[in-house]
Amino acid sequence: MRIVTGGVLHETSTFAGGKTVVRDFESGIGFARGRELFDKFRGANFCCGGFIDGAEQHGFELLPILWAFAFPSAVIERASYDLLKNEFLDGLRRELANGVDGVLLDLHGAMVVEGIDDGDGDFMASVREVVGPDIPIIVTTDLHANHAPLRVASANAIIGYDTYPHIDMAERGREAADLIVRAIRREVRPTSALRQLPLFWSAACQVTAHPPIDEAFRLIHEVESRPGILSATLSTGFPWADIPQMGASIIVVADGDQALAQRTADEIGDWIWSRRERWFKTPLTVHEAIVSGQQSGRFPILLADMSDNTGGGAAGDSTEVLRTFVELDLPDALVLYMVDPDVAQQAHTAGIGARLRVEVGGKSDPVQGPPVPLDVEVLALSDGRFRYDGPMYAGVNGELGASAWLRQRGVNVVVVSVRMQPLDQAFARSLGIDCSAMKYISAKSAVHFRSGFEQLGGPIFNIDARAIHSHNFASLAYRRRRPMWPLDPIAST
């Protein structure tokens, strides 16, 4: 049994400036070509790690072609996308000459390309065109996918993550591997249906271990136990993409019964829509969150600076939180991470122990706020290389570029050169920072940082500080995806 694998993964913000090009895929997690995929993902919490586990369990030959990942950012340049897609398709054609039984694709589900609103759907459809109608294609996608009909028409099954933070990626990869083996053996005939929902789902309401979304996933898992149902996926959507298919959705995979799949997807969709008020929550301001945290008497107080979430394509250099920490002269306060390669380089040039006058952040866009003038001591330096040890990216190497730990009085800030949200405490520890000793921690993340920081035990607040990816959706210029609840009154879907 020979099964091809790979994918091009990108979470695309149409509100971010510039273009995403091939070199952006070379940074961070980057590329894996051919057998490099085994070295990169064996034992790691990624879908490809689950594919590898499935190959070993079931005894099939996994044939990796190309896996390419760029950190969330602007729309992908068409020429760059075509280059990556054609490399995968050329490799697929070569493998087909020796016989292919199935295709396992690892995609994100929120990719937008110049001239192609549904980048993931285009990729799936292109693979289907090459392999023909009979070879099963099973796809794994992120919880924040913006699903559209072309995907369901192109793939036999789409399996999305069940957790946020995404700690189940390898598990979903194993599920996909199990399903494709059963499909190849003709034990099942996966057929899928989609239900789209025009609603914004607040990040604070998406933490799958907590209410209210845990109730929705209990329904998802109950549905998956029903006769004839092979899989059910709830996607909350990626809202910073002004495209027609943006929003929440349900995909149900049934065993050879498309009517059952559609009926079940509609059942779940109706259940979610009837409770739509539960999935939206207005975030707090920075000051409101600090006061609420102080009143709780528990520390550290954790602020999710979600409007500048680098994991969603934001620049990572908004300054409202840092400025507030400095103005309040907070003790034992920490900002993770401020993307500012210029300041990082200044710190490296000066060296550990030096004192510097620097202007931190606020350099990518006026919306991010002006730079914050600081008189800092350089406490530690790093080339940005480390290994994640939290549950989300466990076992994967990280690369943040030239980085530094800086401090002014009680306010600490880690400046980095590569955009990435803090998924766990590994990089902070590599600089000598003990996060448990801090009283105030702000992470440029919406939810993923919880996987490595929730264990600290302090209260967590999602805040809407000034930044390009505001969670006040009414402030963003959506033109192609309206009406959307709660911005518009919608009686039914």
Side-chain angles (χ1 to χ4, degrees), residues 137-170:
I137 300 172
I138 309 294
V139 185
T140 56
T141 62
D142 195 282
L143 177 73
H144 300 110
N146 291 320
H147 287 305
L150 179 61
R151 307 176 185 192
V152 173
S154 302
N156 299 79
I158 296 172
I159 297 173
Y161 308 161
D162 287 346
T163 62
Y164 189 31
H166 304 328
I167 59 174
D168 68 328
M169 292 183 285

Coordinates of all heavy atoms in Angstrom, one line a residue, residues 137-170:
I137 N -8.6 10.6 -1.2 CA -7.8 11.8 -0.7 C -8.4 12.1 0.7 O -9.6 12.4 0.8 CB -7.9 13.0 -1.6 CG1 -7.3 12.6 -3.0 CG2 -7.2 14.2 -1.0 CD1 -7.6 13.8 -4.0
I138 N -7.6 12.1 1.7 CA -8.0 12.4 3.1 C -7.1 13.6 3.5 O -5.9 13.6 3.3 CB -7.8 11.3 4.1 CG1 -8.5 10.0 3.5 CG2 -8.4 11.7 5.4 CD1 -10.0 10.0 3.4
V139 N -7.8 14.7 4.0 CA -7.1 15.9 4.3 C -7.3 16.3 5.8 O -8.4 16.1 6.4 CB -7.7 17.1 3.5 CG1 -6.9 18.4 3.7 CG2 -7.7 16.7 2.0
T140 N -6.2 16.7 6.5 CA -6.3 17.2 7.8 C -6.3 18.8 7.7 O -5.5 19.3 6.9 CB -5.2 16.7 8.7 OG1 -3.9 17.0 8.2 CG2 -5.4 15.3 9.0
T141 N -7.0 19.5 8.5 CA -7.1 20.9 8.5 C -7.1 21.5 10.0 O -7.5 20.8 10.9 CB -8.2 21.5 7.7 OG1 -9.5 21.1 8.3 CG2 -8.2 21.1 6.3
D142 N -6.8 22.7 10.1 CA -6.8 23.5 11.3 C -8.3 23.7 11.8 O -9.2 23.7 11.0 CB -6.1 24.8 11.1 CG -5.7 25.5 12.4 OD1 -6.6 26.2 12.9 OD2 -4.5 25.5 12.8
L143 N -8.4 24.0 13.1 CA -9.7 24.4 13.6 C -10.2 25.7 13.0 O -11.4 25.9 12.9 CB -9.6 24.5 15.1 CG -10.8 25.0 15.9 CD1 -11.9 23.9 16.0 CD2 -10.5 25.5 17.3
H144 N -9.3 26.5 12.5 CA -9.6 27.8 12.0 C -9.7 27.9 10.5 O -9.5 28.9 9.8 CB -8.7 28.9 12.5 CG -8.6 28.9 14.0 ND1 -7.6 28.5 14.8 CD2 -9.6 29.4 14.9 CE1 -7.9 28.7 16.0 NE2 -9.1 29.2 16.1
A145 N -10.1 26.8 9.9 CA -10.3 26.7 8.4 C -11.5 27.4 8.0 O -12.5 27.5 8.7 CB -10.3 25.2 8.0
N146 N -11.5 28.0 6.8 CA -12.6 28.6 6.2 C -13.1 27.7 5.1 O -12.6 27.8 3.9 CB -12.3 30.0 5.6 CG -12.1 31.1 6.7 OD1 -12.8 31.1 7.7 ND2 -11.1 31.9 6.5
H147 N -13.9 26.7 5.4 CA -14.2 25.7 4.4 C -15.2 26.1 3.4 O -16.1 27.0 3.6 CB -14.8 24.5 5.2 CG -13.7 23.7 5.9 ND1 -12.6 23.2 5.3 CD2 -13.6 23.3 7.2 CE1 -11.8 22.6 6.2 NE2 -12.4 22.7 7.4
A148 N -15.1 25.5 2.2 CA -15.9 25.9 1.0 C -16.3 24.6 0.3 O -15.6 23.6 0.4 CB -15.2 26.9 0.2
P149 N -17.3 24.7 -0.6 CA -17.8 23.5 -1.3 C -16.7 22.8 -2.1 O -16.8 21.5 -2.3 CB -18.9 24.0 -2.2 CG -19.4 25.2 -1.4 CD -18.2 25.8 -0.8
L150 N -15.8 23.5 -2.8 CA -14.8 22.9 -3.7 C -14.0 21.8 -2.9 O -13.6 20.8 -3.5 CB -13.9 23.9 -4.3 CG -12.8 23.4 -5.2 CD1 -13.4 22.7 -6.4 CD2 -11.9 24.6 -5.6
R151 N -13.8 22.0 -1.6 CA -13.0 21.1 -0.9 C -13.7 19.8 -0.7 O -13.1 18.7 -0.8 CB -12.6 21.7 0.5 CG -12.0 23.1 0.4 CD -11.8 23.7 1.8 NE -11.3 25.0 1.6 CZ -10.7 25.7 2.6 NH1 -10.7 25.2 3.8 NH2 -10.3 27.0 2.4
V152 N -15.0 19.9 -0.3 CA -15.8 18.7 -0.1 C -16.0 17.9 -1.4 O -16.0 16.7 -1.4 CB -17.1 19.1 0.5 CG1 -18.1 17.9 0.6 CG2 -16.9 19.7 1.9
A153 N -16.0 18.6 -2.5 CA -16.1 18.0 -3.8 C -14.8 17.3 -4.2 O -14.9 16.4 -5.0 CB -16.6 19.0 -4.9
S154 N -13.7 17.8 -3.7 CA -12.4 17.3 -4.2 C -11.8 16.2 -3.3 O -11.2 15.3 -3.8 CB -11.4 18.4 -4.2 OG -11.9 19.5 -5.1
A155 N -12.1 16.2 -2.0 CA -11.5 15.2 -1.1 C -12.6 14.3 -0.6 O -13.8 14.6 -0.5 CB -10.9 15.9 0.1
N156 N -12.2 13.0 -0.3 CA -13.2 12.1 0.2 C -13.5 12.4 1.7 O -14.7 12.2 2.1 CB -12.6 10.7 0.2 CG -12.3 10.2 -1.2 OD1 -11.3 10.6 -1.8 ND2 -13.2 9.4 -1.8
A157 N -12.6 13.0 2.4 CA -12.8 13.3 3.8 C -11.9 14.4 4.2 O -10.7 14.5 3.8 CB -12.7 12.1 4.7
I158 N -12.4 15.3 5.1 CA -11.6 16.4 5.7 C -11.8 16.3 7.2 O -12.9 16.2 7.7 CB -12.1 17.8 5.2 CG1 -11.9 18.0 3.7 CG2 -11.4 18.9 6.0 CD1 -12.5 19.2 3.1
I159 N -10.7 16.2 7.9 CA -10.7 16.0 9.3 C -10.0 17.1 10.0 O -8.8 17.4 9.8 CB -10.0 14.6 9.7 CG1 -10.7 13.4 9.1 CG2 -9.9 14.5 11.2 CD1 -10.0 12.1 9.2
G160 N -10.7 17.9 10.8 CA -10.2 19.1 11.5 C -9.8 18.8 12.9 O -10.3 17.8 13.5
Y161 N -9.0 19.7 13.4 CA -8.5 19.6 14.8 C -9.7 19.7 15.7 O -10.7 20.5 15.5 CB -7.5 20.6 15.2 CG -6.3 20.8 14.3 CD1 -5.6 22.0 14.3 CD2 -5.9 19.8 13.4 CE1 -4.4 22.1 13.5 CE2 -4.8 19.9 12.6 CZ -4.1 21.1 12.7 OH -3.0 21.3 11.8
D162 N -9.7 19.1 16.9 CA -10.7 19.1 17.9 C -10.3 20.0 19.1 O -11.1 20.2 20.0 CB -11.0 17.7 18.5 CG -11.8 16.9 17.5 OD1 -12.3 17.5 16.5 OD2 -11.9 15.7 17.7
T163 N -9.1 20.6 19.1 CA -8.6 21.3 20.2 C -8.1 22.7 19.9 O -7.5 22.8 18.8 CB -7.5 20.5 21.0 OG1 -6.4 20.3 20.1 CG2 -8.0 19.2 21.5
Y164 N -8.2 23.6 20.8 CA -7.6 24.9 20.7 C -7.2 25.3 22.1 O -8.1 25.5 22.9 CB -8.6 25.9 20.1 CG -8.0 27.3 19.8 CD1 -6.7 27.4 19.4 CD2 -8.8 28.4 19.8 CE1 -6.2 28.7 19.0 CE2 -8.3 29.6 19.5 CZ -7.0 29.8 19.1 OH -6.5 31.0 18.7
P165 N -5.9 25.4 22.5 CA -4.8 25.2 21.6 C -4.7 23.8 21.0 O -5.3 22.9 21.4 CB -3.6 25.3 22.6 CG -4.1 26.0 23.8 CD -5.6 25.6 23.9
H166 N -4.0 23.8 19.8 CA -4.0 22.6 19.0 C -3.0 21.5 19.5 O -1.9 21.4 19.0 CB -3.6 23.0 17.5 CG -4.5 24.0 16.9 ND1 -5.8 24.2 17.2 CD2 -4.2 25.0 16.0 CE1 -6.3 25.2 16.5 NE2 -5.3 25.7 15.8
I167 N -3.5 20.8 20.5 CA -2.6 19.7 21.0 C -3.0 18.4 20.5 O -2.3 17.4 20.9 CB -2.8 19.7 22.6 CG1 -4.2 19.5 23.0 CG2 -2.3 21.0 23.2 CD1 -4.4 19.3 24.5
D168 N -3.9 18.3 19.5 CA -4.3 17.0 19.0 C -3.9 16.8 17.5 O -4.5 16.0 16.8 CB -5.8 16.8 19.1 CG -6.6 17.8 18.2 OD1 -6.1 18.9 18.0 OD2 -7.7 17.4 17.8
M169 N -2.9 17.5 17.0 CA -2.6 17.4 15.6 C -2.1 16.0 15.2 O -2.6 15.5 14.2 CB -1.5 18.5 15.3 CG -2.1 19.9 15.4 SD -0.9 21.2 14.9 CE 0.2 21.2 16.3
A170 N -1.2 15.5 16.0 CA -0.8 14.1 15.7 C -1.9 13.1 15.8 O -2.0 12.2 14.9 CB 0.4 13.7 16.6

